[in-house]
Amino acid sequence: MNMRKIIERILFYLILLLIWEVIYKLNVEYFGIWKVYSFPSPIDVYKTLVSLVSDSTLGIAVLVSLKRVIMGYGISIAIGLILGLFIVKFKYIDENLTPLILGVQTLPSICWLPFAILWYGLNESSIIFVIVIGSVFSIAISVESSIKNINPIYIRAARTLGAKGWKIYSDVILPASLPGIVSGLKQGWSFAWRALMAGEMLSTTTGLGQILMMGRDLADISQVMAVMLVIIVLGLIVEKFIFGKVEKSVRHRWGMVSEN
């Protein structure tokens, strides 16, 4: 990214902040349309962020939440990949299990919280369970759809050249389906974050969700907004430096973008 684009992006966000502040001034301070506890100003959000950072509350919460989501997401990837491969491999499982998975995937993560609490109690295991159940099915579905959408000529060519059994999967099917699988993993990551927030908001343990709930209980909308911004920034960082690089590498590998 050249300097001009950096400046343009900074100006864009500064304009957004200015619009935010103007909306706050007009609707909260001047006309009194909204209550002060219902809409925060960017200055108050900044002060809250500084306060949360200065006493290490935010740093500890971010580390704890990242640890949970990485553990849960890692388990989801392992289970989702295996489940997706089984669905593709066995027609009986595909015909009977796929509709059920699609139906279960529509359930919000918060629906699984009663089961998590009853089975594991209010602890780390219950939060990990909610994260896994919230993202595993989207990953499985992405694996299944990515493999099914491969150009059949690749498989026929591999079989003509003598590839059989697992060699077709390892050398042809999985590499060819990687672009779709990576997109599915990105979606699974977003589902994992949503599930994490649902789990932490009903738990008394440290985490971003717990800070979010404290802000709600104290009617501190600035704290709520501050945590939301932190979650957005974390998501952008992961997208930029992890999924973005992996996706770019895969696209280059398959000639989907130029090297320039």
Side-chain angles (χ1 to χ4, degrees):
M1 185 180 296
N2 57 41
M3 184 59 65
R4 179 181 177 182
K5 288 185 177 180
I6 294 175
I7 295 174
E8 288 177 352
R9 183 162 297 181
I10 292 174
L11 288 175
F12 174 77
Y13 288 116
L14 288 175
I15 291 172
L16 287 183
L17 288 174
L18 180 61
I19 294 173
W20 179 3
E21 179 67 17
V22 170
I23 293 174
Y24 172 82
K25 291 288 187 182
L26 292 176
N27 292 280
V28 177
E29 294 189 357
Y30 292 141
F31 299 112
I33 298 174
W34 299 331
K35 301 297 182 183
V36 69
Y37 55 79
S38 65
F39 190 84
S41 74
I43 297 175
D44 290 337
V45 173
Y46 172 75
K47 291 178 180 178
T48 301
L49 277 172
V50 172
S51 176
L52 291 172
V53 171
S54 62
D55 62 6
S56 300
T57 300
L58 185 61
I60 294 173
V62 168
L63 291 176
V64 172
S65 292
L66 283 176
K67 176 185 175 183
R68 288 172 181 155
V69 76
I70 290 172
M71 288 178 60
Y73 182 63
I75 296 172
S76 298
I77 291 176
I79 298 176
L81 289 175
I82 295 172
L83 184 58
L85 290 174
F86 265 92
I87 291 173
V88 174
K89 182 68 175 178
F90 301 102
K91 185 177 180 181
Y92 179 82
I93 296 178
D94 184 15
E95 292 177 346
N96 294 278
L97 188 60
T98 300
L100 179 62
I101 291 178
L102 290 172
V104 173
Q105 178 60 30
T106 62
L107 286 173
S109 301
I110 199 169
C111 292
W112 296 100
L113 284 175
F115 292 97
I117 294 172
L118 290 173
W119 292 347
Y120 300 102
L122 289 171
N123 52 37
E124 293 290 309
S125 298
S126 63
I127 299 176
I128 299 299
F129 169 78
V130 173
I131 295 172
V132 172
I133 208 73
S135 60
V136 66
F137 297 119
S138 66
I139 295 174
I141 291 171
S142 71
V143 172
E144 178 259 347
S145 61
S146 298
I147 292 177
K148 285 185 176 180
N149 289 327
I150 294 175
N151 193 330
I153 196 171
Y154 295 156
I155 301 175
R156 289 198 294 267
R159 286 174 176 166
T160 301
L161 295 173
K164 297 180 180 179
W166 176 248
K167 290 292 290 181
I168 295 179
Y169 274 89
S170 62
D171 295 346
V172 179
I173 294 177
L174 288 179
S177 62
L178 271 180
I181 292 177
V182 171
S183 296
L185 292 178
K186 288 171 61 177
Q187 185 181 49
W189 173 259
S190 66
F191 279 119
W193 263 107
R194 296 174 188 177
L196 171 69
M197 291 300 105
E200 288 186 343
M201 286 175 71
L202 292 185
S203 175
T204 57
T205 57
T206 302
L208 290 173
Q210 193 254 353
I211 298 178
L212 198 64
M213 281 296 292
M214 286 179 58
R216 190 206 68 172
D217 294 340
L218 298 173
D220 188 350
I221 192 65
S222 296
Q223 181 165 311
V224 172
M225 182 63 74
V227 175
M228 291 172 63
L229 290 176
V230 170
I231 294 171
I232 291 172
V233 170
L234 289 174
L236 292 175
I237 291 173
V238 172
E239 162 63 25
K240 177 69 174 179
F241 295 103
I242 299 179
F243 288 115
K245 290 185 178 298
V246 172
E247 197 168 30
K248 185 177 180 180
S249 176
V250 170
R251 289 180 179 275
H252 279 310
R253 171 68 177 82
W254 286 95
M256 301 173 77
V257 294
S258 64
E259 293 293 334
N260 296 328

